[in-house]
Each structure stands twice: as structure tokens, then as C-alpha cells.
Amino acid sequence: MLKPTSNSSHQSFQIRRNGAAPQAASTTPSEETPAAPSDSLDIGSIKTEPTAAVADSRPTIVEGEVLVKTKASLFKSDQDSLLESLGATVKERFEFPEELFKSFDGEVLRLQLPDGLTTKDALKRLAGDPRVQYAVPNEILYLDEMEAGAPEQGQGQAPDDSSGHMPNDLDPKLWGLHNRGQDRGTVDADIDAPEAWAKTTGSNNVVVAVIDTGVDYNHPDLVDNMWTNPGEIPGDGIDNDGNGVIDDVHGYNAYADDGDPMDGHSHGTHCAGTIAGQGNNGQGVAGVAWDAQIMAVKIFDDSGKTSSDAILRGITYAAKNGARITSNSWGGGQKNDLIKEAFEKSSAFHVMAAGNNGRNVDRRENYPSGYEMSNSISVAATDRNDRLANFSNYGQQEVDIAAPGVQTYSTIPDGRYGFKSGTSMATPHVSGAAVLMVANEPDITNEELKQRLMNGADKLSSLRGKVASGGRLNIANSLEKDNIAPGDIRDLAARAESAGSIGVSFLATGDDGYEGKANSYEVRVSEQPIQTLEQFLAATPYDLGKPVIAGEREEFRLAVAPSTEERTMHVAVRAFDNLSNASPFAGSEVTVPAAQLAFEDSIEVDTQGWTTEGTWGIETTQGKAVFSDSPGELSPNEANQSITSPVIDLSTFKSSALMFDTSYKLEEEFDQVHLEVASVPAEGEEAEWAEVKAYTGSADPKHEVVDLSGYDGQKVQFRFRLTTDRSYTEDGFNFDNVRVLGQKTA
Ligand code: CA
Ligand code: CA
Ligand code: CA
Ligand code: CA
């Protein structure tokens, strides 16, 4: 039976603590560490760099410098007087040529401040200056590394029935490209690369800049896919093409401002291999694109440190020298108008990592992925089972799409290969996909690239409400040009099977009208009429299986929350094709019979019948009594304590459900309340508690419905178990108005 998939349910993450100071500007997520594969490759020891304490002690700005964007067409005398008023000198002048940066109106200067004038004071003085558009600090960012385990290997994989085009170097470790269930993965939890390669494998005409720690341009799987600057003569010490950089043959070291972007770190080389490791060359890996021109733009030094000036030089170089796509597996720090504008006004398409803090970036943004731009896309990470990675940032507004990014296998320096995890690894999957799209349609616009990447994503319940597209990259879909929506859903009928179950049946529609197969269904149920799209989108969503061929009959069962009242429920269905073209929705209504109470406690007086541990008890606020984990206080630290319900007899019930009201405030991720259920065990045996839901973070008062149909016919108990870590707690968790309902079978 299908269960409702709540939009609002709070996903539980296990993430590393990355610093308690919410305003810290220094963390730069996007990377996990390599883990040695099981064969002979050795990729070095695992660094577990910054804990919060380390990160917070590192400088976050270059003190004594500011970056200024002056007003357009400022007279030289005005600029001179601006410098004079600060006592500053120009350390660097950035050039944003008009043909590459649409309307970058104004000049960008990096100023050296005089002794005694701090960056902070200078920014204050520049804030209202009529000669200045804006000024920002020269911020320092660090590429942080986390640990990543190697996959459990040697598990079986499904027979290869893919109709796609296979290279001779599609290593089974490349689950993100083609997942046959190897290493405990899920079949087809991948970007459908072989299906895409049947159409295109890339092109040596597409230039993709890897803005990162550099690239090992001698790596045997990358050497033939490196961008080579046509106007530059290597090693003659002369800037032959006059682009401002001497001997920049394969890219640019923007950190050191020289022509050698060799990667002494490994992060950039790893990203490059995912984008465009040479495919079908009999060795190593295949990239998402087998062919491309990788322009190495090194903005980080080999320790993983960079600053805004290097970032600006890097973005500018990529645009000036013809990058069609830039891949940005880095981020962090404060909002920076200058970096935003450089990205926004360059003609390239920018792919950006959403970051690895495991947080909702709609609430607290990550940059540069959080900048609203029509020529960029931000990327979360999924694992080999199509779950959102536990470290991945997410956000229905700020994050556009997800892509494989856990235990990604790719190139690392010195001709080797290794695993890394992070939204850093998800990002190059999307960059490589963009390479294929540009190779296939050279005139595609940035807006089309973004739209098609998002529309083609495979919609997943794990990503609904987490990323704007609700899906994980599927490049085979995104290569397709398809504006024809599926036809109407026909012959929709709904009938009540019990107080908690509705059967739905309809005739399948197709990909284009009634041709072919639709790609997915969206089914929603409400007690309110569903007549408008707005009402449809406000109803409770359900996941249905993959559509059958047009004209065949679909049958699904939906679990709905039982009620003690008989009521009319409204069901509506629409179909999507593989590019998110939607059919109109069709609706039906059904009378659902009343359910009966198996248990009720409105919790007004005491804890009678309940078993409490630790600080659980009654709390009364505004004349209303609720159960609280810590009445009148903050939750305790290092807690593991439960409140357990009386025994509830469901032996004559079906379609049972538990309902209660709750509100809570818990330290996100680290403090949790686990809702657990167990059948009453036989005499002398231990109860086996199964977690049905976990709560963390905070929530305003809400009504919860938890399906207990798995316990129909049994005697059960449920409990709320609070677990907290050793530091910092919030108000805690409370609940009220507990009911268990089901339909009487006898
Ligand atoms: Ca596939
Ligand atoms: Ca040059
Ligand atoms: Ca290869
Ligand atoms: Ca279609």
C-alpha cells in the first residue's frame, strides 16, 4: 500500500558538526575525502581537517584590502580623489571586457589601505560614497575536507539490459553514470549516461572551465581532453596571445597569477575526470562527456585556500578565453556582490555546488550557489540509492537539482583514481551533462540549459520539497527536446476500501498525447474540492509507481488518515513526461467510511497509564496541558529517555493510524525525538521497537498522522524517545491530543 509522502516532514540527517557560530564566514564546503578503493590504488591518507575550532580561528578576510566597484564612467579625477580620501593605493585593476561581460558598468579595483585603516572602517566609509557602487572585503575561503568511506564492494549487479552506448572503460565503480545495483546500489539510480551517449558523447569544441584547485593536465585520462590555448607558445616566457598571462597553455593559476594550473591538491582533478575523463580509451574512467576541452582554472592553492581576488581573476579568465560552461565545486563565506556580478554577467553557464552543511539553504544561504541567476544552476548530492546525501545542503528555492555525489570514482593526480564524496562531486556530473547538451545543440541558450536540466530530472520522493526540480539529473532526458505533454488522464475512478484506504484506477496516458509512456504520476488527495491547480498543489501528495503504456489500466491504493466521521475525499491525478510536461489533472471523489477509536488521550490532567523516564512529564501553558520532554526547562543534555503509551489493542482493527498534535524546538540534527512502535511481546521477551519517524529542528504546532496499518490485528505500544548530544539544548518536544483510529473488523 502506498503511504502519503509528506511535504513537510523533516528529514533526519547525520552530519558532522561544522561549527556552532552561525555567522562564521570561513567554511567552504563541497568536498569529502578520498577513500582507498579495494584494488592496489593508494591515494594517500585521509585528512580530517577543520573542526569548528580550527575553522573559526582562520582569517576570513585579507585585512587591509577592499574590493571596490566604482560608478560607471567615473572621471579619473574623481577616482583619484576617492583613493586620496582613503589614503589607499590600487593593488589591482580588474578588466571585464564588455563583449564578454554584458553591461559590467563600472571599474573594479582592489585597494591597499594605508596603515591604521582597517578593512571594516574602510567599508563603512565607502558605503555611502557617491563615487562607489559597492565595496566588499577581500574574503578568504577554505576548501574543507571530510571523510568518506569506500563503498561496500562485491555485491551483485543486475544483468545489463541497457539500450545505451557503452564505452570500454565504464568502470562499475561509476554508479552515478550507470547503476546496475552494484555495491548495494539501486538499479537505475543514475543519470542514464549510456542512454545519453547513444545520442552524443561530447565534443572537443565545448570548453568547460573547472574553477577549482587546478587540474593534473598530464593525467592519461585527461591529457587529450585538456583545453589548449591556441595562441600561446608553451615555455617561451612570453604572453604570445596577449591575454595577460604568460605561457597559459592549459588554463590559468588565478591564485598565483601565472600560467601553470597544475593541481597539487586533487579536488580539481577529481572534478575534471567526472566532467570529461576521456571515454572509451581503454583505461580508467569515462566522464559524463567522453570528449570536451577542460580549461583548468586554479583559484585555490594546494592547501585549499583562496580569496575573492583570485576568484574574480578566475571567473574573468574563463569568460575571456572562451569557456562555455564553468564548474564550481566550492563555496562559503558571505554574500559578495562582486563575485555574483562576475558570474551573472559572464556569458558562460555556471554549475555550482550547494554545499555540504546538511542544512536548508533557503533559511541560511550558501554562496555562490545561492545567487539568483538565470545562467547558473545549483546542485545537491544523492547517493547510490537515490537518497539525498546526509551531508548535502538542500532548499526548494535555492537548490535546483540533485546529482550523484557519494563515493564518486574519478581521476586524481599522478595518473591515479580514487573516491570522493560531496556536492563537489555532484556538480561535475551536471557540468558534464551541460557539455553533452552543448555538443548536441551548439546554439542552446543558458536559460534552456537550466530549464532542460531541471525538467529532465527524474522526480524522486526523496527530493520533493528539497530541490526546485524535485529530481536527480537524467542527461538522457535533458538531451531530448519535447514540448508535447501527456494526454488527459481518462476514466479515473476512486473507491474506499476501508476507513484508511482508497483504491484509484484510471487509463494510462502517454509521453506525447497518447503516444508512448508517461514518465511519472502526481496524485493528490484532499478533504477539500480539487478544482484549481492551486487546490491540487495544496493537497497531500502520494508517490505512484512508474506509468504503464498509454491506454492500459493503472490501479493504485492510497493510505489516507482515518477519521471518526464519514467524509468525502477528493482525488486528483496528473501525468508528466520525461521533460516535466504535465497533463491536465483529472479528479474524482469518494466517500470514506468512519473509523473507530482504539485509543484516545487528550492529556489534560496527569500521566496516568503512560510510563515516563527522566524529565518527561506534563507541562501546562496558557491553561493547556501537554506532554513535554522537559516541562518548564530546556531539554537535558546527553539524554536517552522515553515516554511510553499504554497498551493499545488493535486486534480487531484495520487501517490503523496514530494521530497527535506536536510542536518542538530541538537542536537541529544533534538532538532528536524518535517515535517508535512495538508489538507487545510474549511473556519474557523483549519488545522490538521500530522507529516510524524522527523529529529534529523546530516546528510550529502541527497535526501528525502516522500509519500503523503494519500493526493491524496486534496489541501495540508506542513511545517518544528523546536523544540529545552533550552540548546545547533547546526548549524541547511536546505533544497533545493523542488518538489511535482504525476500522473495526469485528
Ligand atoms: Ca540508467
Ligand atoms: Ca597568454
Ligand atoms: Ca578513460
Ligand atoms: Ca512529451
Side-chain angles (χ1 to χ4, degrees):
M1 181 173 301
L2 292 147
K3 294 174 186 167
T5 50
S6 166
N7 267 336
S8 60
S9 77
H10 201 102
Q11 183 148 350
S12 162
F13 294 107
Q14 298 297 316
I15 63 157
R16 276 166 201 84
R17 192 176 292 251
N18 57 6
Q23 298 311 319
S26 59
T27 51
T28 305
S30 298
E31 148 108 343
E32 288 232 319
T33 55
S38 64
D39 48 49
S40 62
L41 298 170
D42 172 16
I43 55 173
S45 62
I46 290 167
K47 270 198 298 185
T48 51
E49 225 197 309
T51 61
V54 175
D56 289 348
S57 68
R58 299 181 297 189
T60 58
I61 60 165
V62 180
E63 186 50 53
E65 289 189 9
V66 289
L67 297 163
V68 174
K69 186 185 177 193
T70 67
K71 286 273 166 68
S73 26
L74 197 67
F75 287 117
K76 188 178 178 300
S77 56
D78 286 335
Q79 201 179 93
D80 289 344
S81 75
L82 172 69
L83 296 175
E84 226 166 88
S85 68
L86 291 171
T89 53
V90 175
K91 202 163 181 182
E92 186 171 3
R93 247 172 233 281
F94 291 87
E95 279 180 45
F96 295 97
E98 237 177 84
E99 65 275 21
L100 298 164
F101 290 86
K102 333 164 229 182
S103 68
F104 202 104
D105 53 343
E107 199 174 3
V108 178
L109 307 171
R110 179 175 159 212
L111 300 186
Q112 178 67 56
L113 303 173
D115 286 348
L117 179 58
T118 64
T119 296
K120 197 176 162 193
D121 287 340
L123 290 173
K124 262 189 218 155
R125 283 164 61 176
L126 288 165
D129 194 299
R131 293 160 294 196
V132 170
Q133 289 193 42
Y134 53 75
V136 294
N138 189 7
E139 215 178 338
I140 299 173
L141 299 181
Y142 303 91
L143 195 67
D144 286 347
E145 293 207 294
M146 303 187 295
E147 283 181 52
E152 296 180 53
Q153 297 196 351
Q155 306 299 320
Q157 48 185 303
D160 205 330
D161 58 355
S162 168
S163 55
H165 185 41
M166 296 293 175
N168 57 21
D169 51 1
L170 185 63
D171 192 297
K173 298 183 198 81
L174 298 167
W175 66 264
L177 304 188
H178 186 41
N179 196 334
R180 294 163 59 195
Q182 65 269 30
D183 304 333
R184 296 179 187 271
T186 300
V187 174
D188 210 28
D190 60 36
I191 68 167
D192 275 0
E195 293 88 335
W197 293 329
K199 202 170 246 177
T200 178
T201 56
S203 160
N204 281 324
N205 294 323
V206 183
V207 180
V208 53
V210 179
I211 300 182
D212 210 287
T213 62
V215 174
D216 177 3
Y217 43 78
N218 295 320
H219 196 292
D221 239 358
L222 298 173
V223 64
D224 290 338
N225 276 349
M226 291 306 299
W227 173 73
T228 301
N229 183 351
E232 195 65 33
I233 299 164
D236 66 353
I238 299 168
D239 178 16
N240 309 86
D241 66 346
N243 68 353
V245 186
I246 295 165
D247 292 342
D248 52 324
V249 180
H250 297 302
Y252 173 46
N253 183 338
Y255 189 85
D257 191 19
D258 67 39
D260 187 1
M262 179 50 75
D263 181 13
H265 183 284
S266 80
H267 187 268
T269 301
H270 197 274
C271 293
T274 299
I275 298 169
Q278 179 74 57
N280 206 33
N281 66 346
Q283 60 177 310
V285 294
V288 176
W290 299 3
D291 292 298
Q293 288 190 51
I294 300 163
M295 179 190 284
V297 177
K298 182 180 171 82
I299 58 167
F300 289 94
D301 73 3
D302 290 339
S303 77
K305 181 182 168 192
T306 189
S307 48
S308 305
D309 62 302
I311 294 169
L312 286 172
R313 279 192 297 274
I315 300 168
T316 313
Y317 180 91
K320 262 189 188 172
N321 293 283
R324 177 68 186 84
I325 297 151
T326 77
S327 192
N328 299 274
S329 289
W330 53 273
Q334 303 296 304
K335 189 164 193 233
N336 184 317
D337 287 330
L338 208 41
I339 289 173
K340 180 190 178 201
E341 205 174 347
F343 274 123
E344 190 172 28
K345 295 193 168 164
S346 107
S347 55
F349 182 66
H350 308 289
V351 186
M352 297 174 171
N356 299 340
N357 315 88
R359 74 167 188 250
N360 182 345
V361 289
D362 289 351
R363 289 200 207 134
R364 198 178 125 220
E365 288 186 280
N366 178 69
Y367 303 111
S369 65
Y371 297 130
E372 280 288 316
M373 298 185 277
S374 61
N375 63 337
S376 76
I377 190 166
S378 64
V379 186
T382 49
D383 68 12
R384 66 182 70 239
N385 301 108
D386 263 342
R387 294 172 301 214
L388 182 66
N390 55 14
F391 56 74
S392 181
N393 286 349
Y394 57 93
Q396 189 158 23
Q397 266 95 49
E398 297 285 322
V399 184
D400 297 308
I401 192 170
V406 178
Q407 294 164 335
T408 301
Y409 187 65
S410 185
T411 48
I412 55 173
D414 303 323
R416 294 179 300 164
Y417 299 85
F419 293 99
K420 286 180 192 284
S421 295
T423 55
S424 281
M425 284 64 241
T427 297
H429 281 89
V430 176
S431 305
V435 169
L436 294 183
M437 292 168 75
V438 172
N440 197 45
E441 289 171 70
D443 296 329
I444 194 168
T445 65
N446 290 335
E447 290 74 15
E448 278 179 280
L449 275 172
K450 180 173 185 170
Q451 215 50 59
R452 291 255 293 278
L453 283 164
M454 289 175 69
N455 289 351
D458 282 327
K459 295 186 195 324
L460 302 173
S461 58
S462 59
L463 297 173
R464 183 190 289 134
K466 301 285 183 187
V467 301
S469 63
R472 183 252 308 123
L473 174 69
N474 182 313
I475 180 55
N477 287 346
S478 293
L479 281 174
E480 213 183 289
K481 221 173 179 170
D482 174 2
N483 298 317
I484 305 174
D488 290 357
I489 302 278
R490 289 174 176 168
D491 203 16
L492 173 67
R495 68 182 186 287
E497 298 188 331
S498 73
S501 175
I502 297 174
V504 175
S505 153
F506 54 90
L507 292 179
T509 178
D511 176 338
D512 306 328
Y514 297 95
E515 295 295 311
K517 241 188 236 182
N519 193 53
S520 63
Y521 293 120
E522 183 176 13
V523 178
R524 291 178 183 261
V525 177
S526 176
E527 292 186 31
Q528 309 301 319
I530 302 178
Q531 275 148 8
T532 66
L533 185 60
E534 207 177 8
Q535 290 167 337
F536 178 73
L537 294 174
T540 307
Y542 288 76
D543 290 315
L544 300 189
K546 278 276 168 194
V548 297
I549 203 102
E552 289 182 13
R553 182 156 290 278
E554 298 276 24
E555 309 249 8
F556 297 105
R557 293 169 72 202
L558 313 175
V560 295
S563 162
T564 50
E565 311 269 313
E566 181 186 279
R567 70 234 142 111
T568 302
M569 299 202 80
H570 304 265
V571 179
V573 184
R574 64 174 173 173
F576 291 98
D577 69 11
N578 58 349
L579 279 161
S580 299
N581 297 303
S583 75
F585 64 83
S588 181
E589 58 179 58
V590 56
T591 302
V592 179
Q596 288 76 42
L597 274 174
F599 174 78
E600 182 171 32
D601 190 341
S602 56
I603 303 170
E604 293 311 332
V605 190
D606 54 29
T607 58
Q608 197 176 355
W610 296 73
T611 312
T612 59
E613 284 175 4
T615 53
W616 280 102
I618 293 266
E619 177 175 275
T620 307
T621 39
Q622 294 160 350
K624 202 167 141 287
V626 299
F627 278 137
S628 166
D629 69 297
S630 51
E633 320 215 352
L634 300 182
S635 301
N637 275 316
E638 293 192 280
N640 181 5
Q641 60 183 38
S642 303
I643 180 166
T644 306
S645 75
V647 172
I648 298 161
D649 188 351
L650 298 177
S651 51
T652 58
F653 284 87
K654 65 175 184 179
S655 301
S656 308
L658 165 65
M659 302 180 194
F660 56 94
D661 299 326
T662 182
S663 66
Y664 48 90
K665 202 170 177 196
L666 299 161
E667 186 193 10
E668 179 113 21
E669 310 309 332
F670 302 104
D671 296 349
Q672 302 196 342
V673 167
H674 311 266
L675 173 56
E676 298 168 323
V677 184
S679 304
V680 175
E683 188 86 27
E685 281 177 34
E686 290 272 305
E688 282 184 34
W689 294 98
E691 179 169 304
V692 290
K693 202 151 182 186
Y695 300 87
T696 187
S698 56
D700 293 332
K702 61 177 179 178
H703 183 63
E704 286 280 288
V705 180
V706 177
D707 182 71
L708 290 185
S709 59
Y711 295 89
D712 286 348
Q714 302 174 34
K715 288 182 178 174
V716 300
Q717 283 177 289
F718 61 89
R719 69 181 184 189
F720 293 92
R721 184 166 60 88
L722 171 77
T723 59
T724 60
D725 69 352
R726 24 187 355 154
S727 68
Y728 189 77
T729 54
E730 297 266 15
D731 282 351
F733 185 93
N734 66 52
F735 66 95
D736 196 3
N737 298 324
V738 180
R739 296 190 306 161
V740 177
L741 299 176
Q743 191 166 18
K744 277 273 196 193
T745 54

